[in-house]
Every structure is written in structure tokens, then in C-alpha cells.
Amino acid sequence: MDFKTLLKKEFIIYDGGMGTMLQKRGLKMGDNPNVLNITHPQTIVDVHREYVNAGSDIICANTFSANRHKLEGTGYGVKEIVSSAIDCCKKAVEGTDTLIALDMGPIGQLLEPNGTLTVEEAYDIFKEVVNSDDRYDVIAIETMTDLLEMKTALLACKENSQKPVLCTMSFEENGRTFQGVSPSAMVLTLEGLGADAIGLNCSLGPDEIEPMLKEICERCNVPVIAKPNAGLPDPVTNTYTMGAEEFAGKMAELSSLGVKILGGCCGTTPEFIEKLKDELKDKTYRKNVHPYVTGVCSGTAVVNIDQPKIIGERINPTGKKLFKQALVNNDMDYILSQAISQAEDGAEILDINVGHPEIDEKEMMVKVVKAVQGVVDLPLQLDSTKPEVLEAGLRVYNGRAIVNSVNGEEKSLNEILPIVAKYGAAVVGLTLDEDGIPETTEKRLEIAEKIINRAKSFGIREEDIYIDCLTLTVSAQQSGAVQTLEALERVKEKYNVKTVLGVSNISFGLPQRPLVNQTFLTMALERGLDLPIINPGVFGMAGAVRSFRVLKGYDEESRDYIAKYSDFVVETVSQNHENTLGEAVMKGLKKECHDITLKMLENTDPMEIIDRELIPALDRVGSLFEQGKVFLPGLLSSATAAQQAFEIIKEKLAENSSESVSKGKIILATVKGDIHDIGKNIVKVLLENYGYDVIDLGKDVEPSLVAETAKRENVTLVGLSALMTTTLKSMEDTISLIHQTPGLEDTQIMVGGAVLTEEYAMKIKADYYCKTAAISVETARKVFPNKG
């Protein structure tokens, strides 16, 4: 039996929770459960066999945390843990057709730009797991919240194994992952990269996943996976809210959405799987059939090309002296300012071109892609003729990009299209070939057809090909405008593709260029232009696109148009706006924060800078985060930008031996038995950038260490984190010990973690419940009212 054969079944039954079963067998809190493959192999075999007997078609090897980062301190290496896990699976499935999945979870560190782990390092970690043993049938990448980490893991699988890869991410009740990824962004990216099945697992129960699952099924063209928890966790009873029968019934209902692969995650047991299989026995799989909508995305934003969308042209050195100088000087803040200003002006996609003879274009493309994605959430169009530059950019890009471009030359087709296909990108096709830009419409159509057919031969969908009929300068070749418009219209009539044009080329050499540009843009939109590449900061150009969307009925009730222009004032004189420190923080401009702070310190009191600029800016970002208008990457980007200012202020105060910048001292710890610390680390970043001194005790922390440190350091606020229901008792024990320790009568405690509720936090005598990282800052202000 292989996965392809397994897909012929009506439904594929996954297994259920491994951790749940191990906890029932007395797994010691804080231990890496994958070590049991070696220390207690029969226990692992028994759990797997129970799932096989319950009807699982696929069981996941006990390798979820078997990466080098999570195995640190265990005394075991990746290869021995993975090989022993596969040995256990082999014994459990002997005599059956059940497939074995190599299970891979998150590394446990944040990737750049939100953290310090590079894409290259993450790839190497996943590659090591994949290559540790090849006796598995499929690979399961599970419980991811970062699309870039998921993409990197998928690439490591596809480049080092021929086995099918099943990908699932974990979503929260707001319809996004912890790091702001939407189901559509996940599907667009992973399907393009060749995932063999896509879906969700963990975090929520069957009732809560339905909206996200529906969105996945409406967009996905590969088999869809659903592996929810057994309802929601109850911190009081340390159980989940849904029984096996209810779980199975609800999952059977969800199968009608078009789900092919069903199983369970936390809280589910072989009983859940047995009842699920029974519920599905009389049901028929409904394959997803839906129109394909081409689109691109970043890690958090999706742009469907279902109506004209604006591509910002300003990140390009062509004809831009200041931009060329910024590339040579490695002035990243200037480049980022171009990205931010275009986003503010209404660009929906940004073109990224960093070609310059005096720099390493490949290195700069990687640097700019990472940096731009750290400050704006718009999808990117990577613009280069060099295959190595495009591949390097696509490899670190978070989401699904556009490649600009391929053309009708054989060399271009053979070098660029394989890269586009590998990374699942959309592609711009220029209607030129070895003979240059054709003068006739027919010749341009001929080249367009050649590009389309060749792209399709690489598995690239026709809808994901964006044909550029090329804008010629009307002052040099007046008939060129007509030829371009005719070719554009014919392409739209004949092929199922989208169209793109660099509009501003039309007016070179003419006075009052904006008049010509705007008129030509309007004519092109009416002929079928989907993606105008323009400067969105030019009022008439962006306005023409928005007006067109109103007049064509795309902008229902003119909502977007009214939102943009109801209070809009046209600036008749172009002025270079200089950011305030607060604005630089909001935009995540690290170097600019550094430079502005240095300048302000010449004549402004350090504490005034903190209170009037830094804190209000961070508050605004925090408020937007709470409203769901900014996601975790944006929150962390602003926090790390603010850190630049705080560090300089600290140095200044130290030089003058004056007052401390610290607003208070706080202990943070992940409680005993819990090895999950990403949430705690995010809280640390935020608190430090609000000016608090944080003593980070790490993860799996003994209650006594928390209490001893609080007493020794005279700490009045302790923050405790727990992600597992089984470690909530440790949280309660830690709180109890703090309350009982002499000298800590005034110490207050804030708690947080995915399994906590406010009711339970109060029950175990915590003083504050912090549902999100941003709320921890509000709590600190309450505890230190005279300093916050």
C-alpha cells in the first residue's frame, strides 16, 4: 500500500493524539516524549498498535519534537531517535496496510524577521530529520503557525525525499494562526510548492474549525486534512470538552465540506478514531470542485487577482538616482521607506528590483525580501532576469510571489520556468524574444502563446501566467500605444491569463507626463489590464484604478473608494516627509529609530522621549494588534525597532549616571514540566521594549527557583506561562509557593498560555490573566503605576 493507492478509498483515517496516550501512561512532565522511543519502546509500539486496531490508515511516528533544537540536553541525537521511532511503527503496523508518517513539528524558535533563526538554519534542521531514516511512507508536517517555517520544512522534504508530504497548520478562533496566517495564504503557498495534502490540526475542536476548514476546502485542489482536538481544554479537569461519540459525529458532518483525510489531535484516543471510522463508513467523499482564482500572498495577506490590482514600482533603480545610491550604500531604511510609503498609498503588491552593477544582486535580493517582509505585509513581485537571483529571493520569501519575468527567448524559458514551477509562483511573461520587441500585434500574440504553452508544460496553470504586452514610449513610436492596447485586448480574449503593464514607460520624453500616463492607464484598464505597475503615490494613477473599480462594479457601494478619498487632500507640492520617532517605531524602521533617537537626545530629556514617543507608539501598535488589524510579525517588528531607541537611551543614562530607564523588574518563566517557550519569549520582547527589566528563567522551571529569584531580586511581578493542560498543576504550585514565601507578600502574578482561561487563572490565585502578549504590558503598568 502507498499513499496514491490509499487515496482511492472514500476517506483516509489518520491516528489521534500521541501525547494524550503517553500522559495516560505516566509520561513525566518536561521530558521530550520522543526519547521514549529508546527508553520505553514497547509503550510506543502499544500506542501505535491501538490506533492501527482502531482503523487508522496512517499513524504518525513519535518524532514530532525530534529536531536538534528540541533534543538538546536529552543526550540523544536526531538519527537515533527517528530510527527508533520508525522501528516502533514497523512493529505496530506489521501484517497491516497502515502507512507510517514521519512526523515533524515546529523547531521551537522564531524565524527571521520575527526571531533570530535564519531560513537556511531552519532548512538544515528539517533536512536532518528527513534524512535520518527513509523507512517511512509519507511525511507529516504538523502544528505550524509560521508560513515561512512550514514552507522551509516542505522544501526540505521535497528536496531530500520522494515521499508524499501532508501539511497542516494550527489556527485560532480568529481564523488565523498564532502568527497571523490565513487558511487561503496557507493553501496558495503550500499547494504551489507541491504539498500532497493540506489542512489543519490542533488548537481547536471540530466546532471551532468549521469556518477555517470551509475556506480551505473552497480553495484547495489537493486532498484536505482535518485533525482537530477533542473540543477545547478544560484546565480544571485537565481533560477536553468533547467525548468520542460527539467528536466522531461532528467530524462526519465536516467531511461533507470536502475533507478527505480525518483524524484527531490533543485529547483524542483510539476510541475517537474507532468511532470516527464507524461514522464515515456509509458516507461518500465529495471532491472539491471550484473555479480557480489566481492570487499571491505574503505570510499574512492574500491578494486575489480577480479585479485590477496595483503593483508599486518604486523599489527599482531604473531612472532613480537616490535608489541606486541606497543600493550601493546598503541603505536599507531608504529602501524600506519606499515599501512603506507605497503600502500607505494603496499598492497591493510591491515589485522588488535590486539590479545594479556595483552590488551583489543575489545577496541584496535576499536581504531586501527579508527586510521588506519585516515592515509591510504586501505580497511581492521579484524582478530580475537572473535565475540565481530569483531563486534566492523565492527561497526566503514568506508566501506566494510573482516572478518578473520570463520572455520568449529559449534561454529565458529554460532557465526561469523551472524555478517558477518549483516554488509555486505566478509569472510575468514579456512578449519579446531573441528579435526584441515585436512591432505587430500578431507577433506579440505568437510569443505570448509560446510562453503560455511552455509554462503549462512545467505544470504552471494558465491562470497564473501574467502576460506583459510591453509599453513602448509614445514620443519615439506613436503607434506603439495602439499596438500595446490591441495586443492586450487580444491576449485577454484568446487566453485564460492575466495581464500586466509597466504603465509609466508610455510618457518618457513628454511634458506633463502624468496626464499621458493616467489616460493610457484608463484605456488599458478598459481593454483588460489586470495588474498596472505604477507609482501609487501619484494621485491620478492610483485614483484611476480605484475609480475604474467603482465604475465597473468591483468596489461594491464604492466602499473602498469612499474610505480612501472621503477625507483626502491632494498635495499640490511634493514634500519629503520625515518620520517622527513614533512613526518609525510604528513602521518597524530600526535604523531610523536609532538615528532619530541620537538626534533627539541632543536637546530632549531621555525619559521624555520614552514617555512621549516610544510608549505611545508601542501602545498604538498594541491596540491595532488587539483589534486584529496588525498581526504578530508587525507587533514584533515595531517592538524590535523600539529596542534600538531604548538601547541608546540606556547608554546615555549610564554615561550621565542619572536615573534608570527601567520601569520595573519582572520575572518570566515557563512552568515546570512545560518545554514550550515561544509565547513567553514574545512577552519578553514586548516588556523589554516598554522599558521593563526582564529576568528570563527559561522553560521547565522549578517553582522553588521562581520564588527564590523573586525574593533575591526583590521582584514584585512574576509572569508564568503554560501551554499544556498537564502542566497547569505546576503553575498552581508555583503560585502557591510564591504566596507562602516570606517577603513575597506584595509580589503579584500574571499568567498566560493557550490552555488557560480567566476563570481558571483566578481559581489558582493568579492576580492577572493575560490572554495575549500585549495584555502583559497593560498588566505591568497596573503593577508599576508610577513608572508605566
Side-chain angles (χ1 to χ4, degrees):
M1 178 76 76
D2 58 17
F3 185 67
K4 186 176 181 180
T5 305
L6 192 58
L7 284 171
K8 294 177 182 178
K9 296 183 65 172
E10 286 293 328
F11 296 100
I12 296 173
I13 307 299
Y14 236 142
D15 59 5
M18 171 60 77
T20 302
M21 297 295 288
L22 294 179
Q23 287 163 18
K24 287 185 175 183
R25 285 165 165 78
L27 170 67
K28 185 180 176 184
M29 294 188 304
D31 288 348
N32 185 316
N34 297 162
V35 170
L36 297 178
N37 300 327
I38 294 174
T39 61
H40 294 76
Q42 192 56 48
T43 298
I44 302 301
V45 172
D46 291 345
V47 172
H48 286 318
R49 190 169 288 139
E50 284 191 50
Y51 280 118
V52 172
N53 293 338
S56 293
D57 297 305
I58 302 173
I59 59 168
C60 289
N62 186 34
T63 54
F64 181 81
S65 300
N67 65 68
R68 72 176 74 140
H69 173 68
K70 287 189 174 179
L71 287 175
E72 284 180 7
T74 65
Y76 296 100
V78 174
K79 184 174 178 60
E80 58 184 324
I81 291 291
V82 172
S83 293
S84 61
I86 301 300
D87 287 340
C88 292
C89 287
K90 286 289 186 182
K91 292 177 182 177
V93 303
E94 188 175 358
T96 74
D97 291 329
T98 305
L99 302 186
I100 297 169
L102 174 69
D103 197 23
M104 297 201 303
I107 293 169
Q109 288 183 295
L110 291 173
L111 270 69
E112 292 180 330
N114 302 328
T116 58
L117 187 68
T118 67
V119 168
E120 296 78 13
E121 290 168 336
Y123 177 89
D124 193 51
I125 289 171
F126 288 122
K127 177 182 175 181
E128 182 180 17
V129 179
V130 173
N131 288 335
S132 293
D133 196 303
D134 64 356
R135 293 175 297 149
Y136 47 84
D137 302 294
V138 299
I139 302 173
I141 309 173
E142 296 191 301
T143 326
M144 292 288 185
T145 61
D146 180 356
L147 187 57
L148 183 57
E149 185 175 12
M150 172 61 92
K151 172 182 174 177
T152 304
L154 181 52
L155 282 172
C157 294
K158 289 293 182 180
E159 291 177 351
N160 295 280
S161 171
Q162 300 299 313
K163 304 294 174 65
V165 187
L166 320 182
C167 300
T168 55
M169 299 189 77
S170 294
F171 294 87
E172 300 187 355
E173 289 187 80
N174 64 0
R176 291 178 177 266
T177 72
F178 176 59
Q179 298 207 41
V181 182
S182 70
S184 290
M186 174 188 70
V187 173
L188 269 173
T189 303
L190 302 184
E191 194 172 297
L193 287 164
D196 296 276
I198 298 170
L200 47 72
N201 79 294
C202 207
S203 291
L204 303 171
D207 289 330
E208 294 79 21
I209 66 169
E210 186 168 356
M212 288 78 84
L213 195 57
K214 185 177 180 183
E215 184 178 339
I216 293 169
C217 290
E218 288 175 349
R219 184 138 209 166
C220 198
N221 296 283
V222 298
V224 173
I225 305 167
K227 282 189 68 179
N229 292 340
L232 298 175
D234 184 337
V236 177
T237 62
N238 191 25
T239 61
Y240 283 78
T241 56
M242 192 173 276
E245 194 165 324
E246 184 184 1
F247 177 89
K250 182 61 180 180
M251 289 294 285
E253 290 176 22
L254 293 176
S255 71
S256 64
L257 295 174
V259 184
K260 179 73 173 179
I261 306 171
L262 302 97
C265 204
C266 299
T268 63
T269 66
E271 181 189 2
F272 283 68
I273 301 306
E274 186 175 9
K275 290 189 179 298
L276 171 60
K277 186 178 180 70
D278 187 59
E279 283 283 347
L280 292 173
K281 67 182 179 183
D282 296 323
K283 288 191 172 290
T284 302
Y285 170 59
R286 185 185 71 82
K287 187 175 182 179
N288 294 309
V289 179
H290 44 74
Y292 181 77
V293 178
T294 184
V296 291
C297 67
S298 64
T300 56
V302 172
V303 174
N304 294 320
I305 317 301
D306 53 1
Q307 58 181 279
K309 298 292 170 72
I310 297 170
I311 299 180
E313 68 178 8
R314 298 295 300 167
I315 303 179
N316 188 321
T318 306
K320 302 179 183 73
K321 185 177 179 181
L322 288 176
F323 194 89
K324 289 178 181 176
Q325 198 60 47
L327 288 175
V328 173
N329 295 342
N330 197 27
D331 185 354
M332 203 56 62
D333 265 24
Y334 178 83
I335 297 170
L336 295 183
S337 70
Q338 295 297 310
I340 292 167
S341 64
Q342 290 185 100
E344 291 173 343
D345 289 331
E348 289 146 309
I349 300 167
L350 296 180
D351 186 80
I352 306 290
N353 185 317
V354 294
H356 191 286
E358 296 180 36
I359 66 167
D360 182 330
E361 185 182 352
K362 177 181 173 181
E363 181 182 317
M364 183 59 76
M365 177 63 84
V366 170
K367 187 177 293 186
V368 170
V369 166
K370 288 181 177 180
V372 168
Q373 289 209 289
V375 296
V376 299
D377 67 351
L378 301 183
L380 304 183
Q381 173 173 279
L382 308 190
D383 188 348
S384 178
T385 58
K386 298 177 180 178
E388 66 274 14
V389 173
L390 290 170
E391 179 153 27
L394 287 169
R395 204 161 181 83
V396 300
Y397 178 72
N398 188 6
R400 185 185 196 229
I402 304 172
V403 165
N404 184 13
S405 58
V406 70
N407 60 56
E409 296 179 17
E410 283 297 321
K411 184 175 187 294
S412 176
L413 293 167
N414 292 331
E415 290 182 345
I416 303 298
L417 289 178
I419 295 171
V420 173
K422 175 180 178 179
Y423 291 94
V427 62
V428 172
L430 306 182
T431 53
L432 60 84
D433 59 12
E434 289 85 353
D435 298 323
I437 301 175
E439 294 185 4
T440 67
T441 297
E442 291 304 324
K443 181 61 177 174
R444 293 189 199 185
L445 283 173
E446 182 183 316
I447 296 173
E449 184 165 319
K450 179 181 181 182
I451 293 170
I452 292 166
N453 289 337
R454 189 67 66 84
K456 288 166 69 176
S457 74
F458 282 96
I460 300 168
R461 284 177 174 269
E462 192 166 332
E463 298 93 333
D464 292 330
I465 303 166
Y466 307 159
I467 295 297
D468 187 340
C469 292
L470 299 170
T471 306
L472 300 177
T473 303
V474 74
S475 61
Q477 192 174 348
Q478 195 160 7
S479 63
V482 174
Q483 293 288 347
T484 297
L485 293 172
E486 285 182 356
L488 189 157
E489 188 170 29
R490 293 278 300 280
V491 164
K492 288 291 287 187
E493 289 172 350
K494 191 172 182 180
Y495 308 108
N496 189 26
V497 298
K498 299 299 180 182
T499 55
V500 59
L501 278 178
V503 176
S504 303
N505 298 340
I506 195 73
S507 63
F508 282 130
L510 293 176
Q512 296 299 320
R513 290 183 60 193
L515 294 175
V516 179
N517 292 344
Q518 184 176 341
T519 303
F520 178 68
L521 171 58
T522 304
M523 295 170 71
L525 288 168
E526 183 58 27
R527 296 291 188 101
L529 176 60
D530 298 294
L531 293 165
I533 303 176
I534 62 174
N535 179 358
V538 176
F539 174 75
M541 298 297 280
V545 177
R546 294 191 182 98
S547 300
F548 182 84
R549 295 199 291 223
V550 169
L551 297 173
K552 281 289 188 178
Y554 294 122
D555 184 1
E556 292 185 12
E557 299 180 4
S558 306
R559 290 191 192 99
D560 292 339
Y561 184 90
I562 292 170
K564 179 66 180 178
Y565 295 125
S566 59
D567 299 317
F568 193 83
V569 177
V570 180
E571 294 184 7
T572 55
V573 180
S574 178
Q575 296 180 340
N576 290 324
H577 170 72
E578 291 189 7
N579 289 314
T580 64
L581 179 56
E583 288 170 335
V585 169
M586 292 279 291
K587 296 172 182 178
L589 296 172
K590 301 176 184 65
K591 185 176 183 299
E592 197 161 331
C593 282
H594 176 279
D595 295 345
I596 293 172
T597 304
L598 274 179
K599 190 173 182 180
M600 290 183 72
L601 283 170
E602 294 174 6
N603 51 31
T604 308
D605 180 74
M607 298 309 294
E608 186 177 331
I609 295 174
I610 292 172
D611 293 337
R612 294 191 179 182
E613 290 281 347
L614 292 175
I615 300 304
L618 288 169
D619 284 346
R620 287 195 294 275
V621 177
S623 176
L624 292 171
F625 176 75
E626 292 298 326
Q627 296 171 46
K629 296 178 180 179
V630 166
F631 302 107
L632 183 63
L635 184 69
L636 292 177
S637 177
S638 291
T640 52
Q643 176 119 26
Q644 300 295 313
F646 272 113
E647 290 303 321
I648 296 167
I649 291 171
K650 286 179 181 178
E651 290 173 11
K652 180 76 172 178
L653 292 172
E655 287 174 10
N656 298 335
S657 299
S658 61
E659 62 184 304
S660 169
V661 72
S662 175
K663 291 183 174 293
K665 193 182 291 185
I666 302 170
I667 286 175
L668 292 182
T670 300
V671 299
K672 177 63 180 174
D674 207 314
I675 57 173
H676 303 87
D677 64 352
I678 284 184
K680 182 262 298 174
N681 292 342
I682 291 169
V683 171
K684 177 184 176 182
V685 170
L686 289 181
L687 290 171
E688 286 182 337
N689 291 303
Y690 266 86
Y692 297 98
D693 282 339
V694 175
I695 301 171
D696 184 0
L697 297 181
K699 58 191 176 183
D700 190 20
V701 180
E702 291 282 357
S704 59
L705 179 59
V706 178
E708 289 165 7
T709 307
K711 187 171 183 177
R712 183 179 66 252
E713 299 291 335
N714 193 28
V715 171
T716 54
L717 179 60
V718 173
L720 301 176
S721 172
L723 190 68
M724 303 161 61
T725 56
T726 53
T727 58
L728 290 178
K729 182 64 168 61
S730 294
M731 180 176 280
E732 183 177 6
D733 292 344
T734 305
I735 293 171
S736 177
L737 182 59
I738 290 172
H739 288 327
Q740 293 170 17
T741 301
L744 297 183
E745 293 83 3
D746 296 329
T747 299
Q748 298 184 62
I749 302 161
M750 60 180 177
V751 296
V755 296
L756 272 176
T757 63
E758 184 170 13
E759 180 184 5
Y760 186 75
M762 298 302 104
K763 181 177 181 292
I764 60 176
K765 309 300 183 185
D767 298 287
Y768 301 97
Y769 166 64
C770 300
K771 186 175 183 180
T772 67
I775 295 176
S776 67
V777 176
E778 297 174 18
T779 301
R781 282 177 160 162
K782 293 175 183 176
V783 176
F784 304 102
N786 298 324
K787 296 184 178 183

